[in-house]
Amino acid sequence: MTELTYLDAGRTALAEEMRRDGRVWALGEDLGRGGVFGQYRGLVDEFGPARIADTPISEATIMGAAVGAALVGSRPVVEMRFSDFALCAVDELVNQAAKARYMFGGQGRVPLVVRQPIGMWRSSAAQHSQSLEAWYAHIPGLVVVAPATPADNYGLLKSAIRCDDPVVYMEHKDLWPAVGHVPVDAEGGLVPLGHGRLVQAGSDLTIVTWSRMVDVAMAAAALPDVPSIEVIDLRTLWPWDRAMVLDSVARTGRCLVVHEAVQAGGFGGEIAATVGEELFGRLKAPVRRLGAPRIPVAYAPVLEETSRITAAQVADAARRMV
């Protein structure tokens, strides 16, 4: 085990995969100076500008080049800097990368990873704070990943790079400095895609969550007078671990989905509907969702707080369900 930050865990994973496989390379804005958050720091010194490639400020160009490169056999890692900016490249990702394997009858694959930092961070305001994972989970052909810990950012990024389909890889900006033990293993260390993580066992209520909200759910579970809470970190939103969620809710009888993204139209609705369809007769309370209000994230800290899901809110929702 090695102690790493969430940011360094991702950088270590990418470096190891680039050493293992000469087809892996990265492209995006500012990579030559280490990336906007430092997540590529030092990599150009080892791998050179041909494999850590700086690009013009054009997300559509970056994504289009990566899709073409993936179709002819390389494995690009695309840096979008902020998930908000990736919207400029949605046509290349959604209409081209996601569809290629199906439309070419399996003869063309697009093994690329699109790193999209998400979430609220230091008053980044409305155009730098969104969590848009539900958009991508809606698109057939895309894998969607949202790691919550340094260990998962290491193991899931390695799995994403080895995946033969396009992966939208969403790292939460507020987690960059988080420190944890990481089972570094250059030859393996993979966390499989599509498998959730049981963070804490409990008997009264299941909380299903992912990314930054895992820590918030755990903080809520530690507050006074909170029922016994089982916390599941989905880790991968598509494919998501239906079996783990349904098994847990079948035991506890209650399900609360917590996410930072806007609640309306969020991925929590998919989980709630699935639990309702599969376990209706066994539920002790209606399934609940807790997500952000449908408002742009404000710049002013006091207004930004109105979009933030807190441990106190999660604890209050849990108490009301039992």
Side-chain angles (χ1 to χ4, degrees):
M1 287 280 188
T2 303
E3 194 168 74
L4 293 174
T5 65
Y6 182 89
L7 184 149
D8 286 335
R11 183 174 57 209
T12 301
L14 175 59
E16 288 182 356
E17 291 304 297
M18 291 182 70
R19 294 182 196 116
R20 183 190 64 82
D21 186 343
R23 297 172 299 170
V24 179
W25 62 296
L27 71 163
E29 301 159 23
D30 299 318
L31 300 199
R33 66 178 181 90
V36 68
F37 299 106
Q39 68 273 50
Y40 297 85
R41 189 169 52 243
L43 297 186
V44 73
D45 298 329
E46 178 177 354
F47 299 104
R51 295 185 68 193
I52 298 292
D54 267 326
T55 65
I57 304 175
S58 173
E59 282 73 17
T61 300
I62 298 167
M63 191 73 74
V67 173
L71 280 167
V72 296
S74 73
R75 289 181 171 272
V77 175
V78 181
E79 178 57 52
M80 285 281 110
R81 300 211 301 175
F82 292 85
S83 68
D84 319 72
F85 298 172
L87 300 182
C88 297
V90 160
D91 177 66
E92 288 74 13
L93 179 60
V94 171
N95 282 333
Q96 309 304 331
K99 309 294 189 297
R101 181 155 70 94
Y102 172 77
M103 296 185 71
F104 294 153
Q107 298 179 81
R109 306 294 290 261
V110 187
L112 65 82
V113 177
V114 185
R115 299 180 76 177
Q116 298 193 21
I118 62 171
M120 288 184 281
W121 180 73
R122 299 183 184 178
S123 292
S124 299
Q127 295 173 329
H128 301 75
S129 301
Q130 298 173 92
S131 295
L132 301 174
E133 62 267 28
W135 289 28
Y136 299 106
H138 183 73
I139 303 300
L142 296 180
V143 177
V144 183
V145 179
T149 68
D152 278 353
N153 203 21
Y154 173 78
L156 286 169
L157 184 55
K158 292 174 73 101
S159 292
I161 291 171
R162 299 186 190 193
C163 181
D164 285 334
D165 290 311
V167 178
V168 178
Y169 194 87
M170 312 188 94
E171 295 157 289
H172 198 294
K173 299 187 288 292
D174 216 23
L175 292 174
W176 289 132
V179 176
H181 293 290
V182 178
V184 173
D185 178 358
E187 300 304 317
L190 284 71
V191 173
L193 304 177
H195 291 258
R197 177 173 65 102
L198 179 61
V199 185
Q200 171 178 289
S203 58
D204 294 327
L205 169 74
T206 300
I207 290 182
V208 182
T209 188
W210 55 89
S211 190
R212 176 72 180 84
M213 286 296 107
V214 173
D215 289 343
V216 174
M218 290 298 293
L223 292 175
D225 304 320
V226 170
S228 175
I229 292 176
E230 185 147 303
V231 177
I232 291 176
D233 171 12
L234 277 188
R235 302 200 286 196
T236 305
L237 270 67
W238 203 273
W240 64 285
D241 198 336
R242 289 166 49 105
M244 174 177 276
V245 171
L246 294 175
D247 177 69
S248 173
V249 179
R251 285 186 284 102
T252 65
R254 302 175 180 87
C255 179
L256 171 63
V257 187
V258 179
H259 55 67
E260 184 174 307
V262 169
Q263 179 171 309
F267 194 67
E270 173 67 22
I271 298 168
T274 300
V275 170
E277 290 166 356
E278 299 291 335
L279 299 174
F280 176 72
R282 301 174 67 173
L283 293 175
K284 299 172 184 174
V287 181
R288 283 201 59 183
R289 295 170 293 154
L290 191 56
R294 192 172 179 273
I295 56 175
V297 178
Y299 172 76
V302 67
L303 294 177
E304 184 187 50
E305 285 300 311
T306 62
S307 292
R308 194 180 300 279
I309 302 300
T310 66
Q313 290 174 314
V314 176
D316 182 61
R319 294 188 191 103
R320 290 173 183 272
M321 292 179 67
V322 176

